[in-house]
Structures are given as C-alpha cells and as structure tokens.
Amino acid sequence: WETSDQEAKNLPFNSLWYNLDAANLSDVTKSGTDFQKRTLSSVLARVQCTYDDRYLLTVSGRYDGSSRLSKGNKWSFFPSAALGWRMMEEKFLRNVNWLSNLKLRLSYGVTGNDAVSIYGTQSGVEQLFYDFGGEVVSAYYKNGLANKNLTWEKTHEVNLGIDLGFLESRINGSIDLYKRIAKDLIMKRNIPITSGWTSIWDNICKVRNRGLEFTLNTVNIQHQYFKW
C-alpha cells in the first residue's frame, strides 16, 4: 500500500484537489504519506493414493513464510493426512440395494495463522510535537515493543466421519466427530503501563473446540418438471 494525502481549507477559488498550494500555508491542515508491505510465500506438495477404488490415502504438506512474523520465526511446516474406506465397494455390501453409499473417513491436519498487524513484531517510531521555549519542536519516539519470538498460530484438528446414502442417493447424510486445538494464539498481551507501553503482540494461549456435526440431504420429489 502506498498512500499520499493532503488537506487544505479557505481556497481563494474552486480549484478542487489539483491546486491546494493556492491556500495559505497556515490553512494546509494535513499532509502525509504512508507505505505498507506484506508478503506470504508458500510451497505445497500432495500425494494421493487409491487401491481397488476402496482404500484412499491423501498426504500433504505445506511450508509457509510470512513477512509479518519475527525474524527466525517466519517459516513453518503444516502437514495433513486423510484416510478413506469406501465400504460400499466391499463384497459383503454390494448386494445391499437400499444402501447407496457408505464411507468412513479419518483425517488430521495442521493449519497456520499470521494474524498480526503488518509491522506488529517490530518497534517503529512516530513523530511527536511539543513546546520547547515557546517554539514547536519535532521529535520521534518508539510506538511499541518488538517481540522477537512471535511465531505462527497453529490449529491442530482431527476428524472422524462417516458418509451415508440410501435409496439410490435419495437420502444422503454425514456424521462428523471433531476435535480442534489452536495453540500459540496471536493476541495482544497487556503489560504494566509503567513500562511505557500498554500491550505487546504475543503467542499467549490455547483454545480447544470439540463437537459432533450432522448433515442431511433428501430428494423428496424428482420429476422432469419439478424437483424438491
């Protein structure tokens, strides 16, 4: 992001934005520029295997790097794996006419999050004006603390599921049991104000979610001119 802005008032005529210098210097109320840049780089590899159209395996891994995080902690590896068993392809179920789909699934994976402000891991400077002997003097001060240890927030999830289909797929559904643990959550940690600051970006906590999900889809009416 590159931005530039300027504001002025009491222009002698309607010159819009292209002649702001027509105003007196004291009437230029704002002038500033800004530059921000972020970069994310990723490498992904995936292997998929199928045996006899019954047993499925998917293994993947990604290597991500984020400019937002601190030096030495910008890169991290995120693996995942999934197993599937199409039980409908087994001999003992092929003649079960009322059952159109039966599949078991088991998966595990890790994902990452770099949700920190673009320069949040650095200690920047800001301009400050103050009175010195009756004159306005410009100075600069540190606007925050740098955290050289801030790294990726990671979410680990395991999922056990089953897909079901009945009556030539007129009734379909799935049941999923999952457990999700997010570690090293990126948040602002409050620090004593006597340090000169009030907070700092840090990896500070862990959150666990677990639950059971149900999905059901039915085809009640399937006709050439009407479908429900």
Side-chain angles (χ1 to χ4, degrees), residues 190-213:
N190 292 330
I191 57 178
I193 197 172
T194 52
S195 65
W197 294 272
T198 58
S199 63
I200 183 174
W201 286 105
D202 203 357
N203 303 103
I204 64 174
C205 62
K206 178 171 68 174
V207 175
R208 181 183 66 187
N209 293 281
R210 53 188 176 184
L212 191 62
E213 292 185 351

Side-chain angles (χ1 to χ4, degrees), residues 37-54:
K37 181 180 180 179
R38 70 180 184 187
T39 304
L40 179 67
S41 181
S42 302
V43 179
L44 172 66
R46 177 178 294 140
V47 176
Q48 294 178 308
C49 300
T50 302
Y51 176 74
D52 200 23
D53 204 30
R54 288 181 294 174

Side-chain angles (χ1 to χ4, degrees), residues 46-59 82-87 89-90 103:
R46 177 178 294 140
V47 176
Q48 294 178 308
C49 300
T50 302
Y51 176 74
D52 200 23
D53 204 30
R54 288 181 294 174
Y55 310 110
L56 313 173
L57 172 65
T58 301
V59 179
L83 292 171
W85 179 22
R86 290 176 176 165
M87 298 179 65
E89 301 300 325
E90 299 290 350
K103 178 183 177 182

Side-chain angles (χ1 to χ4, degrees), residues 90-148:
E90 299 290 350
K91 293 181 180 180
F92 59 85
L93 288 177
R94 287 180 180 175
N95 296 324
V96 182
N97 297 326
W98 54 270
L99 188 64
S100 54
N101 184 32
L102 181 59
K103 178 183 177 182
L104 290 177
R105 297 176 280 104
L106 176 64
S107 62
Y108 170 80
V110 183
T111 57
N113 184 16
D114 63 343
V116 62
S117 57
I118 294 180
Y119 302 112
T121 59
Q122 303 177 22
S123 180
V125 294
E126 287 190 19
Q127 191 175 26
L128 178 70
F129 297 95
Y130 66 97
D131 179 271
F132 185 77
E135 295 187 9
V136 178
V137 180
S138 174
Y140 291 88
Y141 70 100
K142 292 181 65 173
N143 61 3
L145 289 176
N147 187 346
K148 297 181 179 180

Side-chain angles (χ1 to χ4, degrees), residues 59-63 76-81 108-111 154-156:
V59 179
S60 64
R62 57 182 300 153
Y63 196 54
S76 190
F77 179 68
F78 305 98
S80 67
Y108 170 80
V110 183
T111 57
K154 293 185 177 181
T155 300
H156 304 251

Side-chain angles (χ1 to χ4, degrees), residues 147 149-150 184-189 200-204:
N147 187 346
N149 298 316
L150 191 74
D184 296 326
L185 267 66
I186 299 176
M187 301 178 68
K188 281 195 171 182
R189 179 194 295 276
I200 183 174
W201 286 105
D202 203 357
N203 303 103
I204 64 174

